[in-house]
Amino acid sequence: MAVTSETISFISGPGLSLHGVIYLPDQARRPAAGAPAIILCLGYRPVFGMFAPKYARGFAEMGYVVLTFEYRGFGESEGPRWRHIAQEQLEDVRNAITYVTTRAEVDADRVALWGDASYGGAHAVMAGALDQRVRCVAATTPFADGEALLRDTRTPWEWQDFLARVDADRRARVLGGGEAVAPEEIMNFEPASHVRAAKHAEKHPELAALRYPLSETADSTMAYKPVDYVDRLAPRPLLLIAAELDRTTPTSQAEQLYGAAGPPKRLVILKGAGHTDVHGARLADVMEIGARWLARHLGPRTADIVRVEGDPEAEDVDARVPADLRDLIEKEAIR
């Protein structure tokens, strides 16, 4: 199937132009009323080229319009460089929702959010909970409570040292100073993530160069608590995909979200997978799980149905990742 892509831009925040790419399925797959759309929310190290094109191409080949974009300050988007602030990125996601609804190729009543790992998953949950235009949400390895995440992935003494460092940086920042640090100095990555990040950086040098404002990023993360909002998503559907061996955003974070969410909801924990596997070695599997979910929950509205509750299995849904894309993912996956 022919998939076309188009470079786009839209405005977010205080007049900032954000860069994105929209992927369009073959015209024969687009209904007269418009195709369903998926907005991809990137994660804590939002380097566009790493995984977004693979997600986008795969879902576009299945008949979805897919919008991928770079948060303010990242990639080709305008804004202070590498200012990783949760609440600002959430605003970018909601403006991306608005943008996609302006596209003639899209059925504005069928817009889904797909959160790619940690922050991307948290953004998808938060934006979906706050924005009624979102029809359903899928999130991989999301976190529920940013403060708990930063605390629970450190020893007690490391946590106290971290808080002291953040407080010192707050005071330096208001006097015109402050540190810019590598992302892993704020979010504590599992050892395997460090190894894989180094391998990814060989293809994507921006990964190695990223530096975030210490106290601003830390404070925004600690204040970011999707678990306090996820119940607002129901009765719109939620899919959570976690990794059994994840030590960066442990499965307990996804379990918290699942427990707080209303139905319909589904939690899938991938056996033997680590944090980066969900968008690396297990990406094709993740996409197939998500595609079955989307095929069921992003269909056209039926006029004589008010709502349908529950989440029966639907293995008969044909939502396979195209063979050539699966081969590409498996060939390029960082292991």
Side-chain angles (χ1 to χ4, degrees):
M1 181 188 303
V3 170
T4 58
S5 63
E6 174 188 335
T7 299
I8 61 93
S9 64
F10 62 91
I11 302 301
S12 188
L16 300 174
S17 178
L18 303 192
H19 166 264
V21 178
I22 195 163
Y23 293 77
L24 303 169
D26 187 276
Q27 198 156 5
R29 293 290 300 273
R30 300 182 217 162
I38 300 168
I39 297 170
L40 179 61
C41 306
L42 296 179
Y44 182 58
R45 290 187 283 197
V47 176
F48 175 83
M50 287 173 62
F51 313 110
K54 294 177 186 177
Y55 274 118
R57 179 188 160 202
F59 284 134
E61 288 195 12
M62 296 176 198
Y64 298 97
V65 172
V66 186
L67 173 64
T68 64
F69 73 97
E70 295 170 312
Y71 302 123
R72 65 186 74 180
F74 286 85
E76 297 180 43
S77 290
E78 294 179 346
R81 193 69 172 159
W82 300 333
R83 179 178 160 82
H84 198 295
I85 307 299
Q87 295 75 15
E88 294 177 354
Q89 292 177 357
L90 176 60
E91 182 182 15
D92 295 342
V93 174
R94 297 190 69 179
N95 284 316
I97 297 168
T98 300
Y99 171 77
V100 83
T101 65
T102 71
R103 298 287 304 208
E105 305 93 338
V106 170
D107 179 352
D109 194 41
R110 293 195 285 160
V111 175
L113 297 179
W114 181 282
D116 175 39
S118 64
Y119 247 103
H123 286 330
V125 170
M126 283 287 288
L130 294 172
D131 201 316
Q132 291 293 318
R133 296 173 297 175
V134 174
R135 179 82 165 267
C136 60
V137 170
T140 65
T141 61
F143 66 80
D145 181 324
E147 183 176 13
L149 176 68
L150 298 189
R151 182 188 66 234
D152 294 347
T153 51
R154 290 172 165 84
T155 64
W157 51 92
E158 287 173 338
W159 176 239
Q160 293 304 316
D161 289 346
F162 176 74
L163 290 179
R165 185 180 177 191
V166 168
D167 188 57
D169 188 74
R170 290 186 193 113
R171 288 181 278 117
R173 178 166 50 85
V174 299
L175 297 176
E179 288 187 84
V181 302
E184 59 268 27
E185 294 186 52
I186 300 170
M187 186 176 288
N188 208 13
F189 297 158
E190 63 191 16
S193 291
H194 287 290
V195 173
R196 288 170 179 158
K199 291 181 179 179
H200 282 304
E202 294 173 5
K203 291 185 177 181
H204 305 281
E206 186 176 4
L207 268 179
L210 292 175
R211 293 294 182 273
Y212 297 165
L214 172 58
S215 58
E216 288 183 283
T217 298
D219 283 337
S220 75
T221 301
M222 288 189 285
Y224 210 48
K225 300 179 186 290
V227 71
D228 292 342
Y229 294 84
V230 67
D231 63 319
R232 302 186 191 183
L233 186 61
R236 293 168 295 146
L238 173 65
L239 169 66
L240 301 168
I241 302 175
E244 180 188 27
L245 306 182
D246 194 341
R247 299 294 178 266
T248 300
T249 49
T251 56
S252 59
Q253 292 282 320
E255 289 168 339
Q256 267 190 276
L257 284 171
Y258 182 77
K265 59 183 178 179
R266 190 178 188 201
L267 171 63
V268 177
I269 300 176
L270 296 176
K271 183 177 178 62
H275 181 72
T276 56
D277 288 328
V278 297
H279 50 203
R282 302 291 294 275
L283 175 59
D285 296 331
V286 167
M287 288 180 66
E288 288 188 354
I289 293 168
R292 286 197 297 270
W293 175 264
L294 292 166
R296 288 164 44 222
H297 294 294
L298 208 54
R301 294 284 192 192
T302 302
D304 60 349
I305 292 178
V306 176
R307 73 170 184 265
V308 177
E309 294 191 6
D311 182 29
E313 287 295 324
E315 298 302 329
D316 59 321
V317 173
D318 184 4
R320 290 167 293 182
V321 174
D324 58 342
L325 179 64
R326 178 178 277 277
D327 290 344
L328 176 65
I329 290 169
E330 292 178 351
K331 178 182 177 182
E332 295 185 357
I334 299 297
R335 303 177 188 277

